[in-house]
Structure formats: structure tokens, C-alpha cells
Amino acid sequence: MGAILKIKNLSVDFDNKKIIKNINMKIEEKKITAIIGPSGCGKSTFIKSLNRMIEEEKNSTIHGAILLNGKNIRDMDKEQVREKIGMVFQSPTPFPLSIYENMTYAPVYYGIKDKKQLKLIVEEKLKIAGLYEEVKHDLKMKATKLSGGQQQRLCIARALTVEPEILLLDEPCSALDIKNTANIEEMLMKLSDIYTIIIVTHNLSQAKRIADYTAFMLNGEIVEYGKTEELFESPKDIRTKQYIDGSFG
Amino acid sequence: MGAILKIKNLSVDFDNKKIIKNINMKIEEKKITAIIGPSGCGKSTFIKSLNRMIEEEKNSTIHGAILLNGKNIRDMDKEQVREKIGMVFQSPTPFPLSIYENMTYAPVYYGIKDKKQLKLIVEEKLKIAGLYEEVKHDLKMKATKLSGGQQQRLCIARALTVEPEILLLDEPCSALDIKNTANIEEMLMKLSDIYTIIIVTHNLSQAKRIADYTAFMLNGEIVEYGKTEELFESPKDIRTKQYIDGSFG
Amino acid sequence: MHRKFEKIFAIIIKLLTFFSIIMLSFIIIFIIKESIPVFKKVSLLDFLFKMEWNPLGEPQSISIFPMILASIYVSLLAIIIALPIGVGSAIFLSSVLSEKIRKILKPAIDILAGIPSVIYGLIGLLVLVKFFEVNFDFSSGESVLAGGILLSIMILPYIISTCDESMIRISKQYKIMSEGLGVSKWHMIRYLILPASKKSIFAGSILALGRAMGETMAVMMVIGNSPVLPKLFGKAQTISALIALEMGGAEVDSLHYHALFAAGFVLMMILFFINMIFHYIIKNIDL
Amino acid sequence: MHRKFEKIFAIIIKLLTFFSIIMLSFIIIFIIKESIPVFKKVSLLDFLFKMEWNPLGEPQSISIFPMILASIYVSLLAIIIALPIGVGSAIFLSSVLSEKIRKILKPAIDILAGIPSVIYGLIGLLVLVKFFEVNFDFSSGESVLAGGILLSIMILPYIISTCDESMIRISKQYKIMSEGLGVSKWHMIRYLILPASKKSIFAGSILALGRAMGETMAVMMVIGNSPVLPKLFGKAQTISALIALEMGGAEVDSLHYHALFAAGFVLMMILFFINMIFHYIIKNIDL
Amino acid sequence: GSKVNSNEEASNNEFKSQILFKGSSTLAPVIAKISTNFIEKYKTWDKVDKDFPNKSLDIFVSAGGSSAGVKAVIDGSSDFGMVSRSVSDEEKGKIEGYKEFKIGLDALTISVNPENKVYEVKKSLSTEEIQKIFSGEYKYWDELDSSLAHEEIVIVTRDLGGGAHKVFQKKVMGDKKVREDAIQAPSMGALVTKIMENKNAIGYASYGMVNQNTGKIIPLDVDGVSPTKENIISGDYKISRPLLVIKKGELLPQEKAFIDFLLSEEGMKIVEKMGFVPAK
Ligand SMILES: Nc1ncnc2c1ncn2[C@@H]1O[C@H](COP(=O)(O)OP(=O)(O)OP(=O)(O)O)[C@@H](O)[C@H]1O
Ligand SMILES: Nc1ncnc2c1ncn2[C@@H]1O[C@H](COP(=O)(O)OP(=O)(O)OP(=O)(O)O)[C@@H](O)[C@H]1O
Ligand SMILES: [Mg+2]
Ligand SMILES: [Mg+2]
Ligand SMILES: O=P([O-])([O-])[O-]
């Protein structure tokens, strides 16, 4: 396989403050790539650039190119880009609708009308995200009433309903307990047979467990990027080593 | 020392669905108590009961008593309860104001008018939460523009401005990287000289690292509660053991 | 101490509210007080449900059933016309147009609220009524329909203003999530913004309904002011037109005068009940 | 396919918007068209800035400077009075009152919007004007002040409705966080809800301003209708009162008639500019 | 309380600089306009007459209907009453030293749209025909005269409680009622506009409005008498009412000065301009 996504000289400014600084990177197809790095270093900004979500921030300016299968995403329809590159945001924000409506929101758009089919999708994706058992009797409840972790799982399930080629996950397990985290990780590893996955995580052991490739980001730059084992076991950059060794417990 | 908080027969229902089931518990003064348990088991609901926040959910009914220094918190002023028992919510939600205004929001209420003094407080608490260096030049920026982890640290700093006796923290490190997590943990251990701290976490090693006492919650019940080492090393209940052993990595 | 300031602030807010409640009560009480003499002569039921209005005739008859129907008919018609147009325009303004064009178009729409009703009435008379006469061969174009159409234009800015502002807020909050799902703007509008703006749409409709029921001059000029049972293509007379038309000539403190106030009181009550029903509906829709 | 439905939906929304823009343009064009003949006889500057209005005199003079000032004066006065009361009441309704009482009080306030202006005018005449005459020894109570006060009551529901709904939304979103800090309701109102509702308050004010400028009948009855420079305690005449008062008597297609439309056009432009300024201010406040 | 007393005393002894008018809403704008001119011309009383003190000139006009005007004069709450109908003997009996000044006449013409050929076919309508038209007995124009088109007659009236309609009711309709679905125009201007805009409309336009819109609306004769100034003043044309200013007791000198101005040529010109037939 090869690189499904090529990032060339990507820079992002907010109000002329450089947040992402000239990143060059290739993302391998059907692999899991983890982005690690301290809070505020630009991880979210970076992955938001990958499906052009960053353009919605009004004070941003973007330079460089991102090629999806060799095609610049800037030359594509925004919607098309996002259909192909799905995303789960860092802060889980369900729509102020019922759980069911949250789940059918995208499928209805993609042309699925049949009630039975919709129900199947809702069920399937909620099961993958490990939420189905908890909410199967409350599908009509407002999604905003769910617990923090439940909301996060709902958002993951919602992103899966789009059936994207690439899935961007911004700290998808931050509000989850071990069991659910394990569920999600298992799911991601299964999904990587079909999808390309990019995951932002502050949990190094998570990156170790599931990622094929890992990138370490610091102050808007990719300090080091490579196979996960190599990066964790023999980091080439002193800063990477320091960051990993800061780890404990 | 003794128990600063006594929880007697606490039950919470949402729309007649039992979420918290008859909890009895004593919280030790100037110690860190961790609440662990799977997602959706009622952890947030439980700690929201401790400072009467749960009463703001309209579909809730609450039974039982919570005694703060022997006094039923139901007989106290809500505001007074919350002045004494501060809280950091699971989803970090800064007010749609500037960072500075977020930080001075409570101090202004508690009577601090002097600009210099306010500035000192803002600086001090932001430093404790490890956010000061990152935002010191952008104190007038809208807080909603901060990164996920920055928002979480801001909310912790904001809770500290109240100077409560008891601090309730609902997964305060969920969006934080290792370094910042370490910072916060260090801070909490220091604070436990003065404050009583109750922390909800899905990170077992975090509980092990910092908590004096740990309670394991399942389906709205406290399955086991005791010294942290005892609970982790020789759990009495089979379910506790299963939950802990589910741990990995 | 800061808490002292807070007390003062609380007192000010309470005072201001007290003020508006005082005004409200005062106006309601005034209208009720001026209405009461009528009900010493005519029973409330007769006043409400009989057909004839002839306060100066011998024997006097004062009943406003046709006007009640006409008021409700014309206003609801106006709402039915204005609601889709208003909500549609609000959607377009808030979610489709660029900020730049929006900033010009919005104030332009807002001025619709500021055009004096005489001018609306005149336009209605010269254009709308004429149009019906010429194109539909009405003997005279004054009709409930003309009133409804004219009113719908007049209440448009109230609906648009109330919806647009909250739609912008909702769109700001959820747009990113929705776009992250690769869904089009139109889908977001239909499945997210519209359902989430229900409350604002209702609030706008209620405000507009009040405006429609209270409006006088413009309606008066295009509806014919005949106190007969209203038909869509027929003439009618609304309560507010009745009041405006006859208040000038009614002798102060005469039965006629009091009857006009009583008509105003009835209008108030109708509005109150319709609002209550609206509030009830919205409460039950939004579970 | 669903996308087809979506296309239809988009077309409907666009059509509806198109409708309202057509209506808007039509009305504006109509007014402009009817105004133009005036400016063939009188220069725009003379029309705007000279003092005398005497369209039937010999020589004719048609200038509306005093009315322009009066319109602005009375409406701004009304806003100045109504804004604090309205915002205060909205705060009270949304953040202090229990849901139950709110559900009764809100529809009651909304009916204020539905009371016909004649009745407001009459109350103004019988109560407000009388009050000034008796208590302040005015030779006659008809005055800008009376007009401003009366108008402020009439526009109150527009301000309250627009603010209240968005305050409830904001309070819902942040109340829990605020309460978690042990802060009182009043502190939250002052330091969180008020600053976050700025936009709604502005939107409400603009709507109310439009209503105030366009209102005719009620103002006409209490302001004295003297085409002199307005003073707070003196008589004055607003543009809309001028139009309503003279439109009935003006010969169609006479200069007088066109001059009245031109006055309406000026009113529209004033409103437009004030709205633009408002929008500009709100844009720059909310950084 | 004491303030009111001192005020009353003052008005008894001192020069009364205010004049109050109350009554007919038809007449109110006329008196208001004339008083505005009067005030503009003189500003203070001493300019009217050297014997008067240097006090500001205040003339207040408030509308409330003719009957309210009579009532105000009876109970003394107003200096003058404005009445746009004849004052009954019973009312006169209640006013000591009754005085009345006829300012002018308000006449109503039965007018139609120029496109309506009725004025060619029937130059004059009889009272009975007018009754039949307005009461709805004739529904179509061809019922009035078979040569006319078979088109619905559109009746336009003023509000049925108002002064104008009262005159029409009394002088033409008698006991008969105007048909219910007649259009009630909110102002005389609207009534005239309607006649101008609708070719089947008929209504009672005021004399003044007809003169302003010659050619755009056509007044018909009534019982063979055409609505000319002479016929109206002489009383031959019957659909008219007097415009009166009434007073209880003797006039004060300053009041007389204003009434003189009212009845002067300048005053009469304004009466005519406002659409009425001046008394002189
Ligand atoms: N307002 C509410 N109405 C109805 N059900 C609710 C409400 N709030 C919470 N619940 C339900 O109560 C249960 C417990 O919620 P709670 O937020 O306490 O869980 P939690 O232990 O904090 O979970 P997590 O770790 O995911 O945050 C969940 O099943 C949730 O769906
Ligand atoms: N819209 C914006 N305007 C201005 N500054 C912004 C904006 N969004 C983000 N920033 C700033 O850009 C920097 C990077 O933000 P980003 O959200 O990418 O960090 P992150 O790596 O995802 O951090 P975390 O792990 O805390 O989520 C932060 O300092 C943040 O304050
Ligand atoms: Mg982030
Ligand atoms: Mg929780
Ligand atoms: O007020 P009137 O002229 O109709 O008596």
C-alpha cells in the first residue's frame, strides 16, 4: 500500500500567530497513525486541517497542500472531502436532538430513507461504539442528557455512520473508562482493515497499543514521525525522548 | 481528623429511573478520595449530589442526607454549599467571555474589587493549573477559542478561585497530556494539605498514584470503598477484582 | 463590599420589572374598567355571540361576533402567509447569505417594521385591492384576503428578526459538528437548525400575531369594514378597525364608547388565549 | 433519492426569500416612485432641512425638518425609556421567575403588542396628557414626553420578547457552571447573561425602534401635532403622524400627496441609517 | 387643593389668556388651523389689541364629538363648543345666554366614478333612488336604469356612527338602513379614493373633496338640485349640515377678537380650503 494522504508544507496561523509550522507528512493507507504531543501544541488544529474543518475558523489562514489520493483537497468539494474524511471532535457535542436523530442525521443525507435500514445502521454503529446496550430503550431521549462518556461514544458512532475512507479521531477516549476504551481500541484495530485512522491521543500507552505509526508534535512542528515501536523504543530526537520519559506510572 | 462529609442513604432518580442507589459513605477530611467505575454508572451524578448541583436537573429526585461537618447541606443555602464545595465539571465549559473574565467571575462575586489583587489571583490560579505561560499574553482572548486541554485547565483554575473547603473534580485530566496531568496531580497532592478532594477518574493508575481512598461504583452502587492500596491489592468484592483486572497496558 | 452592589442591582431589576407589570396592569385595568358599564346592559354572551352591531340605533344592539371572527380570520391568514416566508427568509439570511450581504439586507427588512400603516394601507388600496378588482373581477377588491396579504407583509420583519438571530446562534454552535459529517448546508438547515429553532419561530409568531391583531389603519383601508360574517373573498370588519373607526365619533362615557372598550377587551382576551394555546403546544411538542 | 428532496427544499427556501425580497423591493420602489415628483419642484436639501410645511399655502413650502427631528426625538426617547425596563423585565422573566408564573406573565405581556393603537392613544390622552396638565401645570399636556412614554409602553413587548428567549437559552447553557462556582443568580445575570445577550438586546431595540417610528395613531393623539421644533415638554409632530393626518385629505397625485410619500421615504431612510449604525456598533463592541 | 383655588381666583381677576374649544371632530381641524394662523400672526395678546396685556396667546382645540361640545358648554368645562349639526331646542334651553356662530356648511355630494355612465343617463337621482341604492334594494346598476351595465353597485360610506353618516342618514335615508356590506371608509380621503379607483362605486363625498378632484369623481344632482355653493348656502341642496361654534353667555373681549378673526375673510378662506362651504 502507499500514502493515502500527503501533507505538503502545511502551515496554519490564527490571527497571524503561527500554530502549525510547515508540516510535511505522509499518512499510510489502512493503518493507524497516532499524533501525540503536549496540550496546546496544535494537534487538534493539525487534524482539523486534514478535512478542511479549520477553514471554518474565521481567523485562520492556511498555507500548503494536502493531497488525498494525489488530489488536492482544496480542489474538491468541502462536503466531498468530509464524506471521505470523517472526524470525531475533541469535545463530544451531540446535536440537541434525540439519540436516534443524532445517529440518522448523516445517513438520511446520504440517501437512506428506509426506516428498517436506518434502524439497522443505528443499531450497528451504536454497538460498535459500545453504547447500544445502555441506550437501546432510550433512543428517543435527548442526546444531551447522556453521561460524558456516553456522549463521546455517541459521537464516535455518529462519525461511523458516514462510512468514510479516513477517520480522524481527536482524543476519542478521553472521557471513557478502561472497559470502553478497550472496546473502542479493539474496534479501531478492526476498522483499520478497511479505514485509514488518524488518532490524537495524550495517552502514550494507547498510542503504543494501537498505532502503526506515531508522530510527535511540539509547538506546531512534527518533531519525529515513524513506526510506533521505533519512535517509542529508539527516539531519534532528544525532545521526543524527554517527552516519552516524562511518562510515568 | 475525621469525616468532613457523611453521605446517608443517598438515592437519585431521573424520571423514576434509579441512577444512584442508597449510598452510604464517609469522606475523610484533607484526603483525596477517588471514585472509579464504568461509564454511565453514575459517578458524575453522585458527585453532583454532593454540592446539590444535581437539583438543577429538573427530572431528578433525591433521597437521603448529606452532612457537611455534621450539618445537612439541604438546610444550608445552595450558594453557601457551593462556596464550600467547589466543582470542576466533566465537560470543560468556559463562559463565553475572555479568559480574564472567566477567572475573575467568582472573585468579583466574593468581594474582591481591587484590580491588582484580581490580577494576582488570576495569575496564581492559572499558574497552579499550568496554563499561565501559554495564555499570559492572551488574557483578553475569548476563552472558547482555547484548545480542549487548555479549556480544561482553565476550568480547574476557575474552580480554585473560589477557595473552597472541598473540591469535586469530574475527570479533570481527561483532555490533558502526560505532562499537564502530572502537573495537576502534583497540584492536587499539595492542595490536599488544605483541601478535601474528591476526584472522579477512569484512569486507575491515576487513582493509585494520588488517592488516599478509593470507591468503586457500579450501576449506581458503591461496591467497595476503602484505602486505595487495599482496594487495588486485595479487593474484597469479586466485581471490583474483575474491574481492576480488566485493566491492561 | 461587592454584595451591596449586587443588592442594588437586584433591586433595580425588580423595580424595572415592577414598572412594566404596573404599566401592563394599569392598561388592562383601564380597559376593563371602561368596559364594565356595557355588561350592565348587555350580557357577555350576547355581546360575544350575537350578530348585530348598532350602538346608535333604536333599539340598541351591541354584539361583535362577526368582528371577532374577522379579527381571528385575518390575523391567522396573515400568519399563515407570513410564517413560511418569514422563516424561509430567516434561514436564508442566517445560514446561506454571506455576512456582507446579510448586513445590508437585514436593516432593509427591518425598515418594513417602520413604515407607517397609512402608507401600507394606501399601497394596499391602490395595488392589492385594485389587483383583485381588475384581475379577479371582484365588484370591489376589499376583502379578508387583501387584509391578510397586506398584514402578512407588515408582520414579516417581526418573524424574520426573531428567528434569524437565534438561527445564527444555533448554526454557530453546531455547524462544525455538522460539517464534520460531510453533510450539506441544506441538510443541516432542514434537520438541525429548523428543529432547534422551534421556540424562536413560535416566539416570533406570537409577537407577529399580536401585531396583526392590533393593527388598525392599514387593515381598515383594505378590508371594507362591513360588519358581516367574514368570507375569504368578502368584506369584513376587524375589532381594531371597529374601534378606530368609531372611537372618534363616540361620545365619551356613552354606551357606545364603553362598548368599543369592551370590544378592545375581547380582543385582548382572544390574544391571551391564543398565546396560551401556543405556549401549551410548544411545551408539548418540545419533549 | 434524498438529494432530490434536498434540492427541492433549497429551491423552496430560495423562493420564499425571493418572495420577501420582492415584497420589500416593491414597497420601497412604490414609495420612491410616489416621492419623486416632489423633488422636481423642491430640492432634497430644502425638503429635509427647511422649517416650514405648508403644502396648500401660497407660496407652497414643503420641508419637514421639524418632523424629522420629532420622529427621531420621540422614538429615541421611547427606546431610552423602554430599553432598561424591557431588558430588566426580560431578565426577571427568564432568570428569576419560576417557569409557572412565567408561563402566565409572558402571554400577558405579549398582548400589549396586540392592543390597537387607538386604545393606547385614548389612554394616553385621558391619563398621560391629563396627568401632565393637572400635576405639572402644563397649559396642555400634549408633548414629546407624553408621546415617548406612551410609545415606550407600546414597544415594550418587542424588546422583552426578543431578549427573554435568548436569555433563557444562555442561562440554560451556563447556569450549571455558574452555580458550581457558588455565585448568586444576580451575579450570573450581571456578569454572564447580560454581556452574552448583547446581540439580542440590539436586535430587539432595532425592531422596537422601527415600530416606534412607524406608529401613528397613538402618537398622533398625544403629541399635539404642531409642526414646530420639538422640545421635551412641547408639542411636536412626527413624520408618521403628518402622513396619517394629511393623507386622508390630500388630493391624489397633487404635490401635497407626493410630498407625504416623500416624507415616508425620508422616514424609511432615517430608520435604515439608524439600523446601519446600530449594526456597526454591535459589530465593533463584540470583538 | 389650594393650587386649584388660587388658579381659579387668578382667572376671575386677571386677564384670561387661554381659550378652550371642544367638540366636533369635523370642525376641530378647521378651528385648530385658524388658531394656529392667529397665534402665528400675533404671538401675544398685546399685539392683537393694545389694551390687552403682554401675555402669550393660547388656544386649545380638542375633539370629542359634537354632543361632547354641547355638554362641555353646558357644564362650563370649555369656553366654546364646536358642533357640526343643528343644536336642538332642548339643548339650547340648558344654555343660559346661548350664542351661536355659523362658520360654514358641510355638504355631501352623491358621487360616482367618471367611467360610470350613470351621470349621462340620469343626471339627477331622486331621494328614493338613493335610498334604494344604499339600502341594497338595487343590487346592480341596470336595476336603476336598464341601459346601464349589469354590474354590482359598490357602496362606500363613512363610519356609520360618525357625523357625516348621521347627516346622510337623517337627510336621505330616514328609517332605512344602509346595506350591511357597504364599505366603511376610515376617512373622507379614503372614500373619495375608492370612488376614483372603482368604476362601480358610489358614495357621499364631501363638497370640498369633489372640488379638489374635479373630473376624477362626478357629483350627481339630488332631486334635481345640483350641489353648488349657492344651492348649499341657500339650503336648496339638502344634504348638508351647519358648522357651528357655540357659547354660553357674553364673550370676553379677547374671545370676541378671535371669533372676529374666525369670521373674517382670512378665516373663511381656510374653511373653504379645508373642504367646507364657508358661511360668507
Ligand atoms: N438528566 C438526565 N436525565 C436522564 N438520564 C440521565 C440524566 N443525566 C444522566 N442520566 C443517565 O444516568 C446515568 C448515569 O450518568 P452519569 O453522568 O452519572 O454517569 P458517569 O458515571 O458520570 O459516566 P461517564 O463516565 O460516562 O461520565 C447514565 O445512564 C445517563 O444516561
Ligand atoms: N480559533 C483560534 N483562535 C486563536 N487561537 C487558537 C484558536 N484555536 C486554537 N488556538 C490556539 O492554538 C493553539 C493550538 O490549539 P490546538 O487546539 O490545536 O491544541 P491541541 O494540541 O489540540 O491541544 P489539546 O491537547 O489541549 O487539545 C493553542 O494555543 C490555542 O490556544
Ligand atoms: Mg486539542
Ligand atoms: Mg460523568
Ligand atoms: O365629531 P363629529 O364632527 O362627527 O360630530
Side-chain angles (χ1 to χ4, degrees), chain C residues 103-285:
Chain C
K103 247 166 48 196
I104 294 176
L105 205 56
K106 189 68 209 317
I109 288 179
D110 280 335
I111 59 174
L112 275 183
I115 296 176
S117 6
V118 225
I119 291 193
Y120 275 113
L122 216 74
I123 294 178
L125 196 63
L126 298 179
V127 181
L128 218 53
V129 169
K130 191 86 183 180
F131 179 82
F132 285 130
E133 286 174 4
V134 171
N135 290 296
F136 295 111
D137 212 24
F138 286 16
S139 62
S140 67
E142 275 90 352
S143 58
V144 170
L145 183 59
I149 294 176
L150 191 64
L151 264 184
S152 72
I153 302 176
M154 297 179 73
I155 62 179
L156 211 50
Y158 299 95
I159 295 179
I160 295 180
S161 254
T162 325
C163 294
D164 155 275
E165 206 256 340
S166 93
M167 283 176 177
I168 290 179
R169 193 193 300 272
I170 292 165
S171 141
K172 247 194 195 156
Q173 203 174 348
Y174 297 106
K175 201 178 165 200
I176 300 233
M177 313 297 145
S178 172
E179 283 180 337
L181 294 171
V183 142
S184 77
K185 206 174 352 195
W186 294 107
H187 189 79
M188 174 172 83
I189 290 169
R190 166 67 186 81
Y191 287 94
L192 184 58
I193 296 195
L194 258 185
S197 318
K198 256 180 295 179
K199 286 212 174 173
S200 304
I201 295 174
F202 263 103
S205 308
I206 286 179
L207 208 60
L209 184 77
R211 178 82 180 90
M213 286 213 160
E215 174 49 35
T216 312
M217 202 93 94
V219 183
M220 201 156 84
M221 287 172 84
V222 299
I223 201 178
N225 301 315
S226 312
V228 294
L229 285 179
K231 270 174 276 157
L232 188 57
F233 299 112
K235 301 191 194 76
Q237 180 169 37
T238 61
I239 295 180
S240 31
L242 173 77
I243 298 171
L245 214 52
E246 307 203 347
M247 194 61 101
E251 205 177 309
V252 177
D253 261 341
S254 64
L255 190 66
H256 187 189
Y257 173 89
H258 292 303
L260 291 174
F261 267 99
F265 175 66
V266 170
L267 185 70
M268 240 168 61
M269 291 318 293
I270 295 172
L271 202 57
F272 185 71
F273 281 120
I274 295 184
N275 284 3
M276 291 288 269
I277 294 171
F278 266 37
H279 270 96
Y280 183 79
I281 292 174
I282 193 182
K283 185 83 200 168
N284 280 32
I285 276 181

Side-chain angles (χ1 to χ4, degrees), chain E residues 24-26 65-66 84 163 241:
Chain E
S24 160
S25 52
T26 314
S66 297
S84 51
R241 56 174 168 169

